[in-house]
Amino acid sequence: MLEQKVALVTGAGRGIGRSIALRLAAENMFVVVNYFGSASRAEETVKEIERTGGSAKAMRCDVSDFAACGEMIQEIVKEFGRLDVLVNNAGITKDGLLMKMSEEDFDKVLDTNLKGAFHCIRHSARQMLKQKKGRIVNISSVSGVMGNAGQANYSASKAGLIGLTKSAARELASRKITVNAVAPGFIDTEMTEVLSDAVKAAAASQIPFGEFGKPEDVAEAVAFLASEQAKYITGQVICVDGGMAM
Ligand code: NDP
């Protein structure tokens, strides 16, 4: 069994997930860098962690696939003997107005963002229950807290994650497993890069801080919730949003 704590971060090849992986590695955790489409970027994240003296491994898995998540987590437990931290970060958008949204676009977003987190929690919880300890952090969104026109599917998935967080927190509390959510506002990543300048300006005008956040801002909140210091915090939603959803 590894002496180091082991963390699994889904969708950690780029964006917020990558920052979270680097931040947890800086806490001396062994990080499993999950990816789906971008193998080379996941390998780059691993190399970056190794360059800074940490250790990590990339693992491919589509989080929307229940059985594949089970296999990935079984492999982690078999290889490292433990799983201490799970960060459900993988997420997608397929934006559009409700009246034009296809059933496929609704399902796809729910399958990745909400069911993906359920799949990973469902398979990780067994090991954490055995260890009588664990930290689960789900990356929600201010869209899930406030709603957002043009994101009915995404908002539903991110609000669903908050319900999932609170129910799992209640179920797992007796074994000292904490489950919390972090709800980022607008953060500078590839997900927001696609927005037009006009949409970005309109978004920034709704943020009391007047600007988008950085992936590192989200990673700091996740690192805290994953730490020993956060042992008495569970079922909470921390918004990292420059004051947007207060
Ligand atoms: P990016 O689009 O930059 O990255 C998304 C990540 O999710 C990629 O690493 C991608 O992996 C992974 N992913 C997508 N589908 C799957 C899948 N089926 N299985 C495994 N991994 C998958 O997004 P961000 O970094 O911006 O977002 C990260 C999280 O933060 C998401 O949950 C997002 O909803 C949330 N968030 C982001 C905000 C923002 O403003 N950026 C605001 C609020 C919340 P790969 O490339 O390998 O396919």
Side-chain angles (χ1 to χ4, degrees):
M1 184 170 110
L2 260 195
E3 278 193 16
Q4 263 176 308
K5 282 187 178 170
V6 174
L8 164 61
V9 184
T10 66
R14 58 192 167 98
I16 293 172
R18 180 178 186 276
S19 276
I20 294 169
L22 293 171
R23 186 63 185 79
L24 296 184
E27 293 298 321
N28 194 34
M29 294 186 198
F30 183 98
V31 183
V32 176
V33 175
N34 160 257
Y35 67 96
F36 180 37
S38 350
S40 58
R41 309 217 22 206
E43 288 303 342
E44 268 174 39
T45 304
V46 169
K47 279 196 191 124
E48 178 67 20
I49 288 173
E50 288 172 347
R51 253 197 300 276
T52 51
S55 32
K57 177 179 180 167
M59 278 194 190
R60 183 176 189 275
C61 168
D62 174 1
V63 297
S64 69
D65 181 334
F66 181 81
C69 291
E71 282 163 24
M72 172 174 67
I73 287 156
Q74 255 182 15
E75 206 179 314
I76 293 169
V77 173
K78 200 170 147 208
E79 194 169 341
F80 307 115
R82 61 193 294 169
L83 179 58
D84 302 280
V85 176
L86 164 67
V87 183
N88 286 306
N89 166 80
I92 58 168
T93 51
K94 287 197 180 294
D95 297 351
L97 292 174
L98 187 56
M99 293 309 291
K100 289 184 177 170
M101 188 173 285
S102 68
E103 184 184 7
E104 195 192 346
D105 282 353
F106 191 88
D107 288 348
K108 191 86 192 109
V109 169
L110 269 285
D111 284 351
T112 302
N113 299 5
L114 179 56
K115 283 186 75 185
F118 162 68
H119 297 157
C120 290
I121 293 173
R122 172 72 172 70
H123 293 295
S124 301
R126 185 186 298 273
Q127 180 63 23
M128 290 184 178
L129 286 168
K130 266 196 215 158
Q131 293 174 197
K132 296 193 174 62
K133 206 174 180 185
R135 297 275 187 275
I136 298 171
V137 183
N138 297 318
I139 306 301
S140 176
S141 166
V142 289
S143 281
V145 176
M146 303 166 72
N148 192 20
Q151 287 197 313
N153 49 1
Y154 184 78
S155 300
S157 72
K158 295 297 185 179
L161 266 179
I162 293 173
L164 175 63
T165 299
K166 293 183 180 183
S167 296
R170 287 182 187 276
E171 283 193 32
L172 302 173
S174 65
R175 301 291 179 93
K176 303 287 182 276
I177 299 166
T178 69
V179 190
N180 291 288
V182 169
F186 285 94
I187 306 294
D188 274 324
T189 68
E190 287 169 36
M191 189 176 268
T192 48
E193 213 172 75
V194 295
L195 301 173
S196 69
D197 287 345
V199 170
K200 280 187 194 165
S205 73
Q206 289 176 48
I207 307 170
F209 270 17
E211 59 186 14
F212 283 22
K214 300 285 173 215
E216 295 77 20
D217 297 325
V218 181
E220 284 301 329
V222 174
F224 171 64
L225 290 171
S227 72
E228 286 301 320
Q229 287 84 343
K231 67 182 192 307
Y232 201 58
I233 302 174
T234 198
Q236 301 305 306
V237 183
I238 298 185
C239 293
V240 179
D241 64 353
M244 195 176 163
M246 75 172 104

